[in-house]
Amino acid sequence: MSAARPYWVAIVLLTAGCVHVPESCPIGSAHAAVVNAGCLAVVKGRLLVVEDWRGKVTPPGGAGEAGEGGECTAYRETWEETGQLWQPMELLDDFGGQFYLYRCEPLGTLGPLSPPMWWEIRRARYISPAEFDEQNWRFPDQVDRVRQLFEQAVTE
């Protein structure tokens, strides 16, 4: 085992208290007990994605906390991974009950992409439709459906 492990654990524990957490979820959740949820967020025809430390790309999202509904999981996880507040509006797909993807709209003015949970996400960014196939997707089996939902969002 590497001697560096206690070092990283200490950094995470020390910085965890320094991260500003947004107010509690400002919306109700129609989908309780959701395991994973995230946002399909589109700005000026570009899709918001996050890239993990392995270089894998996905829409922002993650695991729900105890008693947290899907919409609130999507809200919290998107903030943790992008530093921006997005409000889930409607469920677009549940990917067989594995990942609830919501159409999300910005909550107020969007600031810069600045993931406060830097140990989770390498970076957050927007991609254009032309960049879709160039990505190293975390869940390749979901890419076609995400692309379809993204294209519908861009044309609406």
Side-chain angles (χ1 to χ4, degrees):
M1 177 165 302
S2 168
R5 185 174 184 182
Y7 170 75
W8 285 108
V9 171
I11 286 177
V12 169
L13 291 175
L14 288 172
T15 58
C18 300
V19 175
H20 166 72
V21 178
E23 68 217 37
S24 62
C25 182
I27 52 177
S29 283
H31 306 105
V34 170
V35 177
N36 299 291
C39 279
L40 183 90
V42 178
V43 173
K44 297 180 182 176
R46 298 170 65 88
L47 177 66
L48 177 61
V49 296
V50 294
E51 183 178 327
D52 67 18
W53 288 98
R54 299 170 298 152
K56 303 285 186 171
V57 171
T58 187
E65 295 179 351
E68 185 176 56
E71 291 90 336
C72 288
T73 297
Y75 170 83
R76 179 185 50 76
E77 283 287 337
T78 300
W79 176 82
E80 287 178 0
E81 295 182 350
T82 68
Q84 295 183 340
L85 294 175
W86 289 81
Q87 181 170 340
M89 302 304 289
E90 67 179 299
L91 179 64
L92 298 173
D93 202 323
D94 71 359
F95 294 94
Q98 299 299 307
F99 182 75
Y100 283 60
L101 185 63
Y102 294 89
R103 179 183 64 81
C104 295
E105 293 183 359
L107 217 94
T109 304
L110 292 174
L113 290 168
S114 179
M117 304 298 197
W118 57 266
W119 53 89
E120 270 188 61
I121 298 300
R122 178 189 299 172
R123 66 181 171 150
R125 59 193 165 96
Y126 293 96
I127 62 170
S128 69
E131 298 170 291
F132 225 81
D133 291 331
E134 301 167 9
Q135 306 307 307
N136 183 13
W137 292 96
R138 182 173 177 200
F139 301 104
D141 57 323
Q142 297 176 355
V143 172
D144 288 338
R145 182 65 176 139
V146 170
R147 179 195 321 266
Q148 180 184 37
L149 294 168
F150 169 58
E151 288 171 353
Q152 287 173 358
V154 170
T155 58
E156 290 177 357

